[in-house]
Amino acid sequence: MAVERWGVATDRGRRRKSNEDSFLAAPPLFVVADGMGGHAAGDVASRLAVDTFASLALHPPIGVQDAVDAIKEANRSILGVSAEIPERAGMGTTVTGLVSVLVGGTDHWMVFNVGDSRVYCLQGGQLDQMTIDHSEAEEMVVAGQITREEARTYERRNIVTRSLGTDPGPVADSWLFPSVGGERFLICSDGLTSELSDEQIKQCLLADPDPQVVADELVRQAVEAGGRDNVTVIVVDGADSPGSSNVDDTTSPKAPHDR
């Protein structure tokens, strides 16, 4: 297993009455789900998604197709509860995660995503966003209508274009790359990235070798910066990772794009 150590922290923030984020930290599988729907029970949707992955984590080893199937099963579960309980109709959630899998007998990382929660990878002092946001703000950036910095405060930045709880189910993004050692990953809900810039996140990830210390600090900074949303973070260090050491970034995994 490519995972060495990890840390988790979550907070409801300063403006929300409840925390609709859910998470799973069950090596080799790490998941963050950001529920949507408010009175339509976003917290229930996120928990259903995480529970589906928790069942998967009980039966290692986990394969690539297992993770893909879990996303589909989570969507079916949310739709089923929505149909049975009218008050929960329309609930949904993002889901994003990281899992260590064996491919051809070699440790690989699999990153998967539906929605605008994110996975980042820090290696060699370089921070790469490994996922692509499924959001209106991201579409505006791609279309050249707003800049990436403007997207952080765009008035409709919370509108996601893919989520669990839809029929037909969403197409999940996934990426697979070999474990090279020394990686530090961040899995987070948008309550973090809406408050802190990538540079602030990077500096925090570099600041301490203990992933729990870093997770706690990231959440603290996000809440102090405004705490307009629930915030959840998981920090994962790969095996043989020195945490904040300066590993040669020529072996860094390729990200879909840099932020």
Side-chain angles (χ1 to χ4, degrees):
M1 182 173 68
V3 177
E4 180 178 89
R5 53 190 176 177
W6 61 94
V8 184
T10 188
D11 195 283
R12 70 175 184 175
R14 292 181 171 178
R15 300 190 183 182
R16 299 297 179 91
K17 294 181 179 180
S18 62
N19 193 342
E20 295 189 329
D21 288 356
S22 297
F23 65 85
L24 174 69
L29 178 60
F30 302 88
V31 179
V32 168
D34 180 357
M36 300 171 292
H39 294 299
D43 57 332
V44 175
S46 67
R47 176 50 55 187
L48 287 169
V50 164
D51 285 349
T52 301
F53 279 95
S55 297
L56 176 62
L58 293 174
H59 304 286
I62 299 172
V64 171
Q65 191 59 46
D66 295 328
V68 173
D69 290 344
I71 294 172
K72 295 177 181 178
E73 178 58 32
N75 191 65
R76 287 192 291 267
S77 179
I78 293 168
L79 287 174
V81 172
S82 295
E84 292 172 5
I85 305 174
E87 292 82 2
R88 293 177 179 171
M91 68 180 180
T93 185
T94 71
V95 65
T96 192
L98 171 78
V99 59
S100 173
V101 297
L102 283 176
V103 178
T106 304
D107 282 330
H108 280 65
W109 297 109
M110 179 184 180
V111 170
F112 54 87
N113 181 60
V114 176
D116 64 351
S117 296
R118 294 179 180 176
V119 178
Y120 288 87
C121 180
L122 175 72
Q123 190 173 24
Q126 177 177 321
L127 182 67
D128 292 316
Q129 184 179 325
M130 307 304 292
T131 53
I132 299 172
D133 294 352
H134 302 143
S135 68
E136 184 172 306
E138 178 67 16
E139 291 182 353
M140 295 282 284
V141 170
V142 171
Q145 296 176 299
I146 60 174
T147 67
R148 204 159 290 288
E149 183 59 30
E150 289 170 339
R152 296 185 64 239
T153 56
Y154 175 58
E155 60 182 4
R156 291 172 58 85
R157 63 187 178 279
N158 293 326
I159 303 300
V160 298
T161 54
R162 289 189 221 175
S163 65
L164 298 186
T166 58
D167 186 14
V171 176
D173 290 341
S174 63
W175 298 269
L176 190 67
F177 48 92
S179 172
V180 297
E183 305 99 330
R184 168 164 279 187
F185 292 96
L186 168 66
I187 307 103
C188 64
S189 61
D190 70 330
L192 178 73
T193 54
S194 63
E195 300 293 356
L196 302 183
S197 68
D198 280 9
E199 182 60 29
Q200 289 173 303
I201 290 171
K202 173 182 171 180
Q203 293 306 315
C204 196
L205 289 170
L206 286 167
D208 198 286
D210 186 337
Q212 185 59 57
V213 171
V214 173
D216 290 337
E217 179 62 14
L218 282 167
V219 169
R220 185 193 69 79
Q221 288 188 21
V223 173
E224 284 198 353
R228 291 168 290 180
D229 199 354
N230 309 145
V231 54
T232 299
V233 306
I234 306 176
V235 179
V236 179
D237 285 347
D240 302 319
S241 170
S244 59
S245 69
N246 292 320
V247 180
D248 184 354
D249 65 6
T250 59
T251 57
S252 297
K254 298 301 182 182
H257 52 84
D258 293 344
R259 284 302 196 196

